[in-house]
Amino acid sequence: MTSPPPARHWAAERERGAPFLMRLTAWAARAFGRRAMRPLVATIVLYFYCFSPSARRSVAEYQQRLRQSGAAQALPARRPVYGQFQAFADAILDKLDVWQGRLTAADVVVLDPHDLHAQMRAGRGQILVGSHLGNLEVCRALVERGGQLTLNVLVHTRHAEAFNRILAQAGASRLRLIQVSELDAAIMLQLNERIERGEWLAIAGDRVPVRGSRVVHADFLGAPAAFPQGPWLLAALLKCPANLLFCTKIDGRYRITMERLADRVELPRGRREQGVRQWAQRYADRLARECRDAPQQWFNFYSFWSRHA
């Protein structure tokens, strides 16, 4: 029997006019509002669903992992895969709302057991480790409008500069996307300066780097998966706290969860990879819990497990 071809790296997946679509949706949101945008966004997502078989397979695989981990009851019985694409459309519309000021802090529930919000107003900066679960754009926009914090979002996308221009046109001045392919000396110096100024860094913990092999494997929903080393190496090198950030839509309302993962990320000398793996596993366990709460909101439309199975 012929083995299936290995899954492609997420960065090899063709982006369908991302900067153009960002400009189009930003303009249309200002001009027409959410109600008029709904049919357009639904059409785009239906097209994506119909003509992206690899994305459909990846969502189906993720949902099967959920079922095997005991979360079957969280998924709807009918068309669960398409439902995840529909949830993505809903998230796009919510992004438009939040940047247009139609979704405010009063519309969200914030869980902040370690009082991280108060720590954003003074002292050295810290790291927020997020994910592709839910809608972190809500957090970004609320941070921008709050005016108390400069947030640097580390991304792998080559379109970071285009997105920065769009954000600036939308009025964002305290939010910056920084393209990071590798954590080289120049990037580390820049990030350390930002931390010392009291700025915070946000980085996704569930997307492996575009280049290089700095990944570790952790159990996620019952099977080994590759996670980036970057967030944990960054926290260790910058000697700053590492925190988790999730933003999911529960019963029609966004729930923002901020919690301390570590005051300091310590990586034992000579056993650095083992130390990174332990932190990645703690993150993966916490992400799995959030996925069970919001099972159709993990918007990673590429194969997460099979490349390393």
Side-chain angles (χ1 to χ4, degrees):
M1 183 170 59
T2 304
S3 300
R8 296 198 302 173
H9 191 286
W10 67 264
E13 299 293 338
R14 183 169 60 91
E15 296 190 63
R16 292 164 169 81
F20 170 74
L21 286 177
M22 284 284 289
R23 289 193 296 271
L24 174 63
T25 52
W27 170 81
R30 289 192 297 269
F32 305 113
R34 178 180 182 128
R35 181 172 297 181
M37 284 295 297
R38 188 182 295 274
L40 173 61
V41 172
T43 301
I44 292 172
V45 171
L46 178 61
Y47 173 86
F48 182 43
Y49 175 81
C50 292
F51 295 98
S52 300
S54 63
R56 293 199 305 271
R57 287 193 299 268
S58 298
V59 171
E61 179 188 20
Y62 157 70
Q63 292 186 358
Q64 183 60 25
R65 301 284 185 195
L66 272 177
R67 294 185 186 95
Q68 292 172 349
S69 70
Q73 71 284 354
L75 290 166
R78 296 185 58 190
R79 297 188 298 175
V81 172
Y82 184 58
Q84 191 148 333
F85 284 79
Q86 288 179 309
F88 184 57
D90 187 58
I92 292 173
L93 292 169
D94 286 341
K95 289 178 183 183
L96 301 179
D97 275 355
V98 71
W99 281 111
Q100 295 302 312
R102 300 186 185 98
L103 186 68
T104 68
D107 300 312
V108 303
V109 174
V110 179
L111 304 180
D112 185 10
H114 301 104
D115 202 20
L116 298 182
H117 187 262
Q119 298 173 38
M120 293 177 175
R121 300 168 188 162
R124 292 182 79 238
Q126 301 183 30
I127 291 177
L128 292 168
V129 185
S131 71
H132 289 80
L133 177 77
N135 199 341
L136 288 183
E137 204 72 24
V138 172
C139 302
R140 295 178 187 180
L142 294 180
V143 163
E144 171 64 35
R145 290 209 304 273
Q148 297 174 333
L149 174 72
T150 297
L151 181 64
N152 303 278
V153 184
L154 308 188
V155 297
H156 296 305
T157 175
R158 61 185 178 274
H159 297 307
E161 290 305 314
F163 290 161
N164 275 329
R165 288 192 293 271
I166 294 166
L167 290 173
Q169 292 168 4
S173 60
R174 304 184 70 85
L175 178 66
R176 189 71 182 167
L177 303 187
I178 301 177
Q179 181 176 335
V180 178
S181 298
E182 295 182 9
L183 294 176
D184 57 24
I187 286 290
M188 286 303 305
L189 178 61
Q190 178 189 156
L191 298 181
N192 185 66
E193 291 173 349
R194 291 173 184 268
I195 286 287
E196 293 297 334
R197 289 201 299 263
E199 300 179 14
W200 284 43
L201 309 179
I203 185 171
D206 61 348
R207 181 150 289 183
V208 298
V210 175
R211 295 196 301 270
S213 57
R214 287 193 170 181
V215 300
V216 293
H217 290 82
D219 181 88
F220 179 54
L221 295 175
F227 287 86
Q229 296 186 22
W232 321 113
L233 293 175
L234 199 59
L237 291 170
L238 295 177
K239 297 181 173 59
C240 64
N243 310 290
L244 298 181
L245 176 64
F246 298 103
C247 183
T248 52
K249 198 170 190 178
I250 308 295
D251 297 327
R253 194 176 188 193
Y254 274 103
R255 180 182 73 187
I256 296 175
T257 303
M258 297 185 292
E259 58 189 52
R260 175 66 45 81
L261 183 67
D263 291 320
R264 285 281 297 273
V265 171
E266 302 285 354
L267 300 178
R269 182 172 298 179
R271 294 185 292 116
R272 188 179 70 174
E273 185 169 332
Q274 180 183 346
V276 169
R277 185 178 293 110
Q278 292 174 348
W279 289 110
Q281 186 62 64
R282 291 180 63 179
Y283 169 83
D285 291 343
R286 188 63 185 85
L287 176 61
R289 284 167 49 197
E290 289 290 319
C291 285
R292 294 184 184 103
D293 283 349
Q296 290 182 299
Q297 295 179 46
W298 195 49
F299 302 130
N300 253 335
F301 294 101
Y302 72 98
S303 181
F304 200 73
W305 289 272
S306 58
R307 291 175 64 242
H308 305 279

